[in-house]
């Protein structure tokens, strides 16, 4: 077995011969120790112990060219001995753990304590019989009708409702967790890898890869297992995820053949034999270290026996080995272990690991919306706390003053328990006010809404990897899209070509072409393309042939087939391992070259790439008879004008194919790329068409109507890009836009020192629509520039699409990164937030719709919740202060809390999206959650409900001719009076829930109600539950059964909500000036009166024009600004009518209305003032601005 002294690890492992008996020549531990070597020492060890990669393959019983036979029993045996390629996930939280977490809620804890005290006191009976007579009026009737025995019911009922709330919350969390796991599984199954089995190249799910498999690796792959390189072309790996070093590492079979899982292939291609999978791979070892907590580590060390890890399928492994191995990993990777990008795990450890890195602790990521809501919930909670404290203080003082000051009663020791019972009752009322005030349903609503949307988005081909991406998408203002594959079909076909001095507008007849040129062309295309690229027969009869691999290369191979030639025989003649040197395509070279050794010992290099780049390097060209002639600079210019530009203007991608011969003596220095890739001989230029997807123009139009700017960022030629942009509708002739290439872009945004300046970017991006010939850095710079820009009212929210490895940085930087599910590389998917499973631009529009829907769902819920909060708190507070008892009892409040928090969040958060969502502008980052329309609704409905409840409270007994429930003694039976109040209150909430379905002032609140079965179920379910509570709730719910007539009155008063909703909708926002100052909640201005009626269904566009605190400025500056505008008009020579129109407009709209024409107090824009009040903000308009 060679000399093993270099590894005591090995020596220790000699006992582990069990695996050898299974018929394989190396054990798990041997392979693991091999994979810890790097560079030259790895080559030496391979040579010494295994006689090179060939020997390793022999021992693993696999063929380097044909792979494993694919026999199922063999595969199962390999999985048993070497483990499966999965990393066991962290265990999900159990239901009980989630229950425990839900119990940590402070308000619930306070309630539990209060309920327990109340329970304890109800069982305590003071000594002596006559105590009741001396303990003040409040205590009279305590012993009435043996009701005191029922005193425990209230405490028990509160505890029961707490249990209900906790169970519901825990169940919600649990189902969310389950959904998230399901999503992860789905992402895992998406990841496939190319493996050779039985000499066939097949795509396998990553988890099915076993030790001994021969895997084909190519540019953009995320390696799924450890392996040793058998053959590689120009292979460069990014190992930063393991080592933290950002430089790409060159790999080749004779210098550094070790490939590690979790690393990214940045360039080149090759084949490797898999040597370690799952928990035994380098990633797996680190993940196991990360996954095992400190206690487990200690346990392991104490045991000193076998490693207690259920997923270690490695037979009896000595603990010492495991430990030393872990220590090695720790030393070797240091801190890098922490930034490890995990392998795909069986159960979605991947994203969760990421989450953990982003936010330490068990918290899931918080989105912008969740942030806003938590803040709001805290503010409301504080207000509630204050109210509840004041309530308790007032009740206690009132009781004390009434009994001990006015009635001058002494405090008798035997009365103490009775007084304490009163104080506990007051405390419970206070806590109840707090419970109702704290909207704990808010975060719940977001979670439900996001989880629901994510589930539905799957059907719309959006696989969401990070929950918050879904909601951010609703605010997107810019989409930077790739061209190839996203806007186009990514089915490349050669439609024009230039060969032998002739420009053919369609594929020529092979007979018309010179034979010499033809032969060289066929060899060049067949050999100088990835051997994984193929054209296969169509799946369906009469369908199009299937393109596999790089689509541009598929187009070229298709061109050969159109010329009635086949590429396969040539490839068979020169298999991949016989290629002498390959310069693979990358974003810097923008070309690919392959060197082969000719039979006479000389070399020939075939090259292909972007036409203007390859042509610059050509010194010769093949003539019409196939002879080489000189290709002068002026010939190049003519060719660009006559051939390349016309092709590009037709929207074709132009590719130049060329070659060069080298003598064998002396052999060229292949590392000196500049001298090698020069003096080429051009063979032909082809124009490849990639048709625009039929649904794209329509999708882009929708985006533009929704206020989203679509920009195309492509590596293609500027003319091609412009032609495609016009076809897609990104640019329209006659508009004011910029189309530039990467060079020009860099010239405009960098200063003399070559540094990027934000001010310079700000001059370019607003009008930029097409950026051609862009490098990955350009894309990243553009995205970063737009995100960091402070132009305009609100910060831009940028979505980016990408499929290549080079798009990674831009995808990560963007607010939302979309990766292509079919054409995308693993690196792109890893960096993205959403994966488009059909690679289609129109799916992005769906994502926008869902994102906006999430935002609207939350707003609907907020509107409903805040109305209930305001009313319940005020009723409990005033009721308690005036009648010494809350008209709504603790248990009733908890029921209201349950319907309004949990059920309403379910009902309102699951509304399906409609197309009308795409007819308004994005909200932007800083828009307050509560718009003025919502404030109007909350206040309007609040006032209506309060009037009705107070009328019932103080005059209800006269109206219904029943006994008054006010001032009832402690533990008295429930009264009909208070039951009616409770019932009416719930009915009003039920009908208001229907009102809350619309938040932009729409009239028809029933529109599309039956499209949401969850909503209908919850409304009817709540109604049924309410009947049960009122009729049979009795003492625990403090309810007295009502007869049919009283029920009808309650429902009738509830229905009043719908009618009142119509009244509120009729009041124009502009009439309600005070709404503008409704606390810090709203910061929007509204449409003028005449617009309000027309645009009732739409959101008020101008509503988001105002910044907080500027209202005061505007009042004073309004008139001055109008004057300055007029002066500016004359200065800039704009026609006199403009100024007149401006003046007219200023005078017709109300004083506050002028505000919409101004973007900020110090900037007055003319162009806006002349356009309608809903026009774009001044900052983006290139207008004359006056300072004041």
């Amino acid at each position: 077995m060679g000399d093993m002294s270099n590894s005591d690890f090995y020596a220790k492992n000699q006992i582990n011969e069990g695996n050898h008996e299974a018929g394989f020549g190396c054990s798990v531990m041997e392979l693991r120790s091999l994979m810890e070597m790097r560079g030259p020492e790895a080559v030496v060890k391979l040579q010494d112990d295994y006689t090179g990669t060939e020997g390793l393959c022999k021992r693993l019983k696999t063929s380097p060219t044909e792979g494993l036979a694919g026999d199922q029993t063999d595969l199962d045996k390999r999985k048993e001995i070497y483990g499966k390629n999965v990393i066991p996930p962290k265990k999900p939280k159990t239901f009980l753990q989630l229950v425990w977490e839900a119990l940590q809620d402070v308000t619930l804890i306070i309630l539990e304590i209060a309920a327990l005290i109340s329970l304890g006191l109800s069982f305590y009976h003071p000594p002596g019989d006559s105590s009741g007579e001396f303990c003040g009026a409040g205590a009279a009737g305590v012993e009435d009708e043996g009701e005191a025995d029922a005193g425990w019911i209230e405490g028990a009922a509160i505890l029961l409702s707490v249990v209900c709330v906790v169970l519901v919350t825990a169940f919600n969390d649990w189902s969310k967790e389950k959904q998230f796991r399901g999503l992860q599984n789905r992402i895992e199954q998406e990841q496939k890898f190319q493996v050779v089995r039985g000499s066939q190249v097949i795509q396998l799910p990553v988890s099915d890869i076993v030790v001994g498999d021969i895997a084909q690796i190519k540019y953009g792959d995320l390696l799924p297992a450890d392996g040793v390189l058998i053959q590689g072309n120009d292979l460069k790996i990014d190992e930063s995820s393991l080592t933290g070093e950002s430089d790409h590492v060159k790999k080749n079979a004779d210098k550094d053949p070790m490939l590690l899982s979790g690393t990214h292939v940045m360039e080149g291609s090759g084949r490797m034999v898999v040597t370690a999978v799952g928990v035994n791979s380098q990633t797996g070892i680190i993940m196991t270290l990360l996954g095992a907590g400190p206690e487990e580590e200690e346990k392991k060390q104490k045991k000193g026996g076998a490693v207690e890890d259920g997923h270690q399928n490695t037979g009896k492994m000595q603990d010492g080995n495991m430990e030393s191995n872990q220590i090695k990993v720790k030393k070797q990777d240091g801190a890098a272990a922490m930034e490890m990008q995990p392998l795909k795990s069986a159960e979605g450890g991947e994203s969760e690991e990421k989450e953990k890195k982003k936010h330490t602790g068990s918290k899931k990521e918080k989105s912008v919306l969740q942030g806003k809501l938590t803040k709001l919930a805290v503010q409301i909670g504080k207000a509630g706390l204050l109210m509840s404290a004041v309530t308790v203080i007032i009740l206690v003082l009132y009781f004390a003053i009434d009994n001990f000051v006015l009635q001058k009663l002494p405090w008798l020791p035997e009365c103490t328990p009775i007084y304490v019972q009163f104080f506990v009752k007051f405390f419970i009322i206070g806590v109840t006010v707090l419970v109702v005030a704290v909207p704990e349903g808010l975060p719940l609503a977001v979670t439900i809404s996001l989880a629901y949307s994510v589930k539905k988005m799957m059907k719309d081909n959006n696989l969401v990897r990070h929950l918050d991406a879904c909601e951010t998408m609703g605010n997107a203002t810019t989409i930077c899209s790739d061209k190839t594959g996203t806007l186009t079909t990514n089915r490349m076909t050669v439609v024009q070509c230039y060969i032998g001095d002739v420009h053919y507008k369609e594929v020529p007849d092979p007979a018309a072409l010179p034979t010499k040129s033809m032969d060289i062309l066929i060899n060049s295309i067949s050999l100088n393309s990835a051997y994984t690229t193929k054209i296969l027969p169509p799946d369906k009869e009469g369908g199009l042939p299937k393109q596999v691999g790089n689509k541009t290369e598929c187009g070229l191979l298709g061109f050969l087939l159109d010329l009635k030639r086949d590429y396969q025989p040539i490839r068979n003649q020169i298999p991949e391992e016989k290629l002498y040197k390959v310069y693979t395509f990358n974003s810097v070279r923008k070309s690919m070259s392959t060197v082969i050794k000719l039979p006479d010992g000389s070399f020939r290099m075939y090259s292909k790439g972007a036409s203007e780049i390859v042509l610059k390097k050509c010194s010769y060209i093949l003539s019409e008879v196939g002879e080489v002639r000189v290709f002068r600079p002026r010939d190049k210019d003519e060719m660009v004008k006559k051939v390349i530009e016309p092709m590009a203007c037709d929207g074709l991608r132009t590719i130049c194919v060329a070659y060069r011969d080298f003598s064998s003596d002396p052999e060229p220095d292949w590392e000196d790329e500049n001298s090698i890739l020069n003096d080429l001989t051009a063979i032909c230029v082809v124009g490849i068409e990639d048709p625009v997807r039929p649904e794209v123009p329509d999708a882009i139009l929708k985006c533009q109507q929704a206020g989203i700017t679509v920009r195309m960022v492509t590596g293609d030629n500027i003319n091609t890009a412009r032609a495609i942009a016009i076809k897609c509708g990104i640019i329209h002739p006659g508009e004011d836009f910029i189309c530039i290439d990467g060079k020009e872009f860099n010239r405009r945004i960098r200063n003399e020192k070559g540094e990027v300046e934000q001010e310079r970017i700000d001059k370019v991006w607003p009008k930029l629509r097409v950026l051609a010939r862009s490098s990955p850095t350009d894309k990243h710079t553009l995205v970063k520039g737009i995100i960091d820009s402070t132009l305009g009212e609100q910060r831009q929210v940028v979505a980016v699409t990408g499929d290549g490895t080079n798009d990674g940085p831009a995808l990560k930087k963007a607010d939302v990164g979309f990766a292509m599910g079919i054409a995308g590389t693993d690196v792109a998917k890893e960096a993205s937030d959403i994966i488009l499973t059909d690679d289609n631009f129109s799916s992005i529009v769906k994502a926008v719709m869902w994102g906006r829907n999430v935002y609207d769902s939350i707003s609907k819920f907020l509107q409903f919740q805040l109305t209930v909060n305001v009313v319940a708190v005020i009723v409990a507070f005033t009721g308690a202060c005036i009648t010494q008892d809350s008209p709504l009892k603790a248990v009733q409040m908890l029921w209201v809390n349950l319907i309004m928090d949990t059920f309403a969040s379910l009902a309102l958060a699951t509304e399906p999206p409609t197309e009308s969502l795409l007819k308004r502008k994005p909200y932007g980052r800083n828009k307050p959650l509560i718009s003025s329309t919502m404030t109007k609704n909350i206040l309007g409905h609040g006032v209506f409900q309060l009037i009705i409840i107070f009328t019932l409270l103080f005059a209800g007994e006269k109206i219904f001719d029943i006994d008054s429930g006010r001032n009832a003694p402690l533990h008295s039976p429930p009264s009909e009076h208070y039951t009616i109040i409770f019932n009416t209150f719930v009915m009003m909430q039920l009908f208001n829930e229907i009102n809350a379905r619309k938040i932009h002032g729409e009239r028809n609140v029933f529109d599309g109600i039956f499209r949401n079965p969850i909503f209908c179920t919850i409304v009817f379910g709540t109604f049924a539950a309410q009947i049960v509570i009122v009729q049979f709730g009795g003492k625990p719910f403090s309810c007295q059964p009502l007869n049919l007539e009283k029920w009808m009155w309650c429902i009738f008063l509830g229905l009043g909500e719908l009618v009142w909703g119509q009244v509120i909708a009729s009041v124009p926002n502009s009439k309600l000036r005070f709404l503008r100052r409704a606390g810090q909640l709203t910061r929007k201005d509204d449409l003028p009166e005449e617009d309000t009626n027309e645009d009732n269904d739409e959101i008020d566009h101008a509503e988001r024009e105002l910044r907080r605190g500027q209202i005061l400025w505007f009042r004073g500056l309004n008139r001055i600004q109008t004057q300055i505008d007029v002066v500016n008009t004359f200065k800039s020579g704009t026609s006199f009518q403009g100024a007149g129109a401006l003046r007219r407009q200023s005078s017709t709209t109300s004083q506050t209305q002028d505000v919409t024409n101004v973007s900020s107090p110090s900037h007055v824009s003319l162009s806006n003032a002349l356009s309608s009040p809903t026009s774009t903000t001044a900052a983006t308009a290139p207008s004359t601005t006056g300072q004041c």
Side-chain angles (χ1 to χ4, degrees), residues 14 54 144 217 285 393 777-778 799 831 838 846 869 882 907 994 1005 1016 1018 1108:
Q14 288 303 72
E54 291 284 330
D144 288 0
I217 54 176
I285 294 168
I393 294 167
T777 356
D778 295 340
D838 63 345
K846 295 257 176 60
N869 277 22
I882 298 171
I994 299 173
V1005 290
C1016 301
I1018 284 177
R1108 195 180 287 157

Side-chain angles (χ1 to χ4, degrees), residues 668-842:
D669 173 11
W670 300 113
E671 295 308 311
D672 178 12
E673 264 185 57
N674 292 339
S675 63
I676 298 281
L677 296 176
N678 229 327
D679 282 340
L680 307 178
T681 305
I683 307 169
C684 76
V685 172
V686 294
I688 299 182
E689 183 182 41
D690 184 7
V692 171
R693 286 176 180 265
E695 61 282 343
V696 162
D698 193 35
I700 286 180
L701 184 66
K702 278 185 186 161
C703 281
Q704 288 163 345
Q705 285 170 347
I708 301 170
T709 312
V710 181
R711 296 181 164 85
M712 182 202 285
V713 183
T714 175
D716 233 328
N717 173 315
I718 183 133
N719 296 324
T720 311
R722 191 184 285 123
I724 299 282
I726 291 173
K727 283 183 191 167
C728 293
I730 291 177
I731 53 180
H732 303 284
E735 273 184 359
D736 184 15
F737 57 78
I738 306 175
C739 291
I740 50 175
D741 59 11
K743 243 191 204 151
E744 174 64 10
F745 175 67
N746 279 305
R747 193 184 63 70
R748 291 192 188 191
I749 63 167
R750 292 177 191 275
N751 58 20
E752 298 71 46
K753 293 180 193 154
E755 295 158 345
V756 177
E757 284 186 0
Q758 187 62 43
E759 295 109 65
R760 288 169 181 250
I761 295 185
D762 286 348
K763 286 181 190 149
V764 176
W765 75 259
K767 290 188 184 177
L768 180 69
R769 292 294 175 273
V770 175
L771 179 58
R773 279 278 174 258
S774 66
S775 68
T777 356
D778 295 340
K779 193 169 186 176
H780 184 260
T781 312
L782 175 67
V783 172
K784 186 175 182 302
I786 298 179
I787 289 179
D788 295 345
S789 172
T790 47
L791 288 184
E793 281 288 86
Q794 13 172 302
R795 185 162 109 40
Q796 296 279 316
V797 178
V798 182
V800 168
T801 70
D803 52 5
T805 306
N806 47 14
D807 293 328
L811 287 170
K812 257 203 158 45
K813 178 68 194 165
D815 294 293
V816 181
F818 284 91
M820 302 296 142
I822 304 167
T825 59
D826 295 339
V827 182
K829 290 179 189 174
E830 195 74 19
S832 69
D833 300 297
I834 297 179
I835 296 174
L836 295 176
T837 50
D838 63 345
D839 285 14
N840 195 334
F841 188 83
S842 58

Side-chain angles (χ1 to χ4, degrees), residues 107-149:
T107 41
L108 288 180
I109 293 173
I110 297 175
L111 257 188
E112 287 155 26
I113 294 170
L116 288 171
I117 295 174
S118 160
L119 263 180
L121 288 171
S122 64
F123 291 124
Y124 175 83
H125 290 292
D129 297 325
S130 56
S131 59
E133 295 160 25
F134 305 114
C135 298
V142 167
E143 300 295 330
D144 288 0
E145 310 165 30
E147 277 292 345
D149 301 342

Side-chain angles (χ1 to χ4, degrees), residues 277-557:
V277 292
V279 284
N280 298 311
S281 64
Q282 293 301 303
T283 306
I285 294 168
I286 293 170
M287 294 293 288
T288 320
L289 290 179
L290 291 181
E295 306 87 3
E296 289 174 35
E297 290 285 345
E298 279 162 32
K299 273 187 217 154
K300 282 185 192 173
Q301 279 157 14
K302 278 180 200 152
K303 282 198 178 144
V307 177
E308 297 284 307
D309 184 338
H311 299 275
Q312 217 83 28
N313 307 329
T314 51
K316 301 268 186 296
M317 197 191 291
Q318 267 55 33
D319 202 28
N321 297 346
M322 183 70 176
E323 292 304 326
S324 69
N325 199 17
Q326 289 179 346
I327 291 160
K328 275 192 188 178
V329 172
K330 276 184 181 153
K331 276 186 198 149
Q332 165 198 324
D333 292 319
M338 291 313 294
E339 45 169 86
M340 182 49 227
Q341 291 215 337
L343 189 81
K344 304 287 182 181
S345 67
E347 274 282 11
E350 181 215 342
S351 271
E352 281 159 46
E353 286 298 329
K354 272 199 183 163
E355 255 52 301
K356 255 167 246 124
K357 277 169 238 154
K358 280 194 202 160
H359 312 261
T360 44
S362 63
K363 283 265 166 52
K364 280 266 152 52
E365 47 193 26
K366 247 202 186 121
S367 61
V368 183
L369 190 55
Q370 262 165 322
K372 279 185 185 178
L373 285 173
T374 316
K375 205 162 141 196
L376 185 70
V378 169
Q379 286 169 348
I380 296 173
K382 282 180 185 163
L385 195 61
L386 189 73
M387 289 287 267
S388 62
V390 172
T391 312
V392 175
I393 294 167
I394 290 180
L395 285 170
V396 172
L397 285 178
Y398 191 104
F399 177 79
I401 293 171
D402 188 41
N403 278 342
F404 304 128
V405 179
L406 300 179
Q407 299 184 29
K408 299 190 171 57
L409 290 172
W411 181 299
L412 301 170
E414 58 267 31
C415 291
T416 306
I418 291 180
Y419 292 148
V420 172
Q421 273 194 358
F422 267 106
F423 292 143
V424 168
K425 176 185 164 189
F426 298 152
F427 182 61
I428 288 180
I429 291 172
V431 173
T432 313
V433 172
L434 179 64
V435 169
V436 176
V438 175
E440 65 271 30
L442 280 183
L444 183 73
V446 184
T447 313
I448 292 176
S449 184
L450 286 175
Y452 172 77
S453 306
V454 166
K455 204 171 171 185
K456 293 286 187 196
M457 281 167 81
M458 293 278 243
K459 291 184 183 148
D460 286 339
N461 304 310
N462 281 292
L463 183 65
V464 182
R465 294 181 70 235
H466 300 133
L467 271 183
D468 59 343
C470 156
E471 155 237 320
T472 314
M473 213 35 226
N475 293 332
T477 52
T478 289
I479 298 174
C480 294
S481 172
D482 246 5
K483 176 179 76 76
T484 312
T486 315
L487 301 173
T488 57
T489 55
N490 206 6
R491 249 203 93 81
M492 308 280 192
T493 34
V494 173
V495 288
Q496 295 186 21
C497 66
Y498 177 87
I499 301 183
D501 296 343
V502 185
H503 184 174
Y504 297 95
K505 291 287 174 147
E506 48 198 40
V507 177
D509 176 28
L513 300 177
T515 350
K516 277 187 193 167
S517 307
M518 189 76 160
D519 292 342
I520 295 180
L521 176 67
I522 288 158
N523 278 319
S524 177
I525 292 176
S526 306
L527 300 174
N528 184 30
S529 57
Y531 278 35
T532 47
T533 305
K534 297 186 180 74
I535 292 190
L536 303 176
D539 289 340
K540 294 191 203 78
E541 197 60 37
L544 291 167
K546 219 161 87 182
Q547 297 188 340
V548 181
N550 180 307
K551 297 297 191 260
T552 310
E553 290 179 354
C554 286
L556 291 168
L557 293 176

